Amino acid sequence: MRTEPEPVVVELGEDGRRGVLRAETLLVLALSLGASGVSALISFIGSLTKPGGLKDQAATLNGSYAPGRPWLDLAWQLFGIGTALVPVLLVAHLLTREGVPGLRVLGFDRTRPVWDLGRGALVAAGIGSAGLVFYLGARATGFNLTVVPEALPDVWWKFPVLVLSAVQNSVVEEVIVLAYLLRRLDRLGWSPMAALLASSVLRGSYHLYQGIGGFIGNVVMGVVFVLAYRRWGRVGPLVVAHALLDIVAFGGYALLAGKVGWLPTP
């Protein structure tokens, strides 16, 4: 009777465990927002080398994938939103294999909904008003492209898709670049200040396609979010805050673009 060989178990030392965590973190980022940072840098270089100033160019956040074909467009929109969330599921899987309760250890659950919503709304109100003023100033001085939050056709699914897009953005960014990255950098022995800078600069990097203003504004937002996360120990309120910021930006632009003089349009 044939017997299967016993599996070989290799015990990793501390350096080995750090190497595994380092590789894991780099792979997660390469599959998600780290890759977006490289893409944004290439886009920014293209904008800088294009004739004309930055403010004369536009960066569209939510555009049509199939103009004139609304059902096909909707399918592509939902596909894009769904696949963008896969790295978050990967993070949940990796944390579960680590022996902790997945995303709950990051404070992303439904145990404190009222608390999360209240804190998130307060953060969104503070950052949203300051962010709008900063964007208008950065664009006026030529440091930013004209940001077009949405350019979807006027169909029945327009606003539901914009809300889903906002929620997807907030979940991906705050779970990966804020909570997961800080947890991993802490375990790798980074100082709190170094981890804060890494998370904030990464957040700014994948917004660089909007221009220098987009980079600086999101670095500052990253610092605020890291400090809030360290204090509260929950990423839930920051997911709420980010979602509210994007919902207002996407929906507000859809309702006001071309109707008020202070809102820049291409």
Side-chain angles (χ1 to χ4, degrees):
M1 180 177 178
R2 183 179 177 182
T3 59
E4 294 294 330
E6 291 292 328
V8 177
V9 179
V10 178
E11 292 291 339
L12 296 176
E14 184 62 27
D15 289 342
R17 286 191 290 270
R18 285 174 180 265
V20 170
L21 286 179
R22 190 178 299 110
E24 174 199 299
T25 306
L26 290 174
L27 287 170
V28 169
L29 294 178
L31 290 171
S32 57
L33 295 165
S36 297
V38 176
S39 173
L41 175 60
I42 296 172
S43 177
F44 179 60
I45 293 173
S47 298
L48 282 179
T49 54
K50 186 177 181 179
L54 290 179
K55 69 177 181 179
D56 298 322
Q57 302 175 49
T60 302
L61 307 188
N62 294 282
S64 175
Y65 291 118
R69 306 181 67 184
W71 285 105
L72 181 62
D73 199 351
L74 174 60
W76 278 117
Q77 298 290 341
L78 296 178
F79 174 78
I81 291 169
T83 53
L85 289 168
V86 172
V88 175
L89 299 179
L90 175 60
V91 165
H93 172 72
L94 293 170
L95 290 172
T96 301
R97 291 192 60 176
E98 185 181 315
V100 297
L103 299 181
R104 287 183 59 190
V105 74
L106 306 178
F108 187 55
D109 52 32
R110 294 178 294 176
T111 59
R112 304 177 68 182
V114 176
W115 193 91
D116 288 346
L117 288 170
R119 293 294 177 98
L122 288 175
V123 172
I127 289 183
S129 54
L132 177 59
V133 172
F134 181 80
Y135 160 66
L136 294 175
R139 181 186 176 276
T141 53
F143 287 103
N144 223 72
L145 284 75
T146 298
V147 177
V148 181
E150 72 85 23
L152 296 177
D154 290 323
V155 290
W156 65 268
W157 50 259
K158 176 176 182 172
F159 285 97
V161 162
L162 289 176
V163 171
L164 288 175
S165 178
V167 172
Q168 172 250 299
N169 289 342
S170 63
V171 171
V172 173
E173 292 188 38
E174 305 317 326
V175 168
I176 295 178
V177 172
L178 182 61
Y180 168 77
L181 183 59
L182 290 180
R183 180 179 176 86
R184 284 295 179 256
L185 295 181
D186 288 347
R187 290 197 59 186
L188 288 170
W190 287 45
S191 70
M193 180 58 69
L196 179 148
L197 291 174
S199 175
S200 303
V201 171
L202 176 57
R203 185 187 295 269
S205 72
Y206 56 79
H207 289 93
L208 192 56
Y209 68 92
Q210 299 176 9
I212 299 172
F215 172 79
I216 296 174
N218 279 279
V219 168
V220 173
M221 175 177 166
V223 171
V224 173
F225 274 36
V226 168
L227 294 176
Y229 177 68
R230 293 290 198 192
R231 181 176 180 84
W232 297 334
R234 289 184 59 78
V235 75
L238 289 317
V239 172
V240 170
H242 192 149
L244 290 175
L245 288 169
D246 281 4
I247 288 171
V248 171
F250 299 165
Y253 187 90
L255 294 172
L256 299 177
K259 299 177 182 178
V260 293
W262 55 266
L263 184 62
T265 56

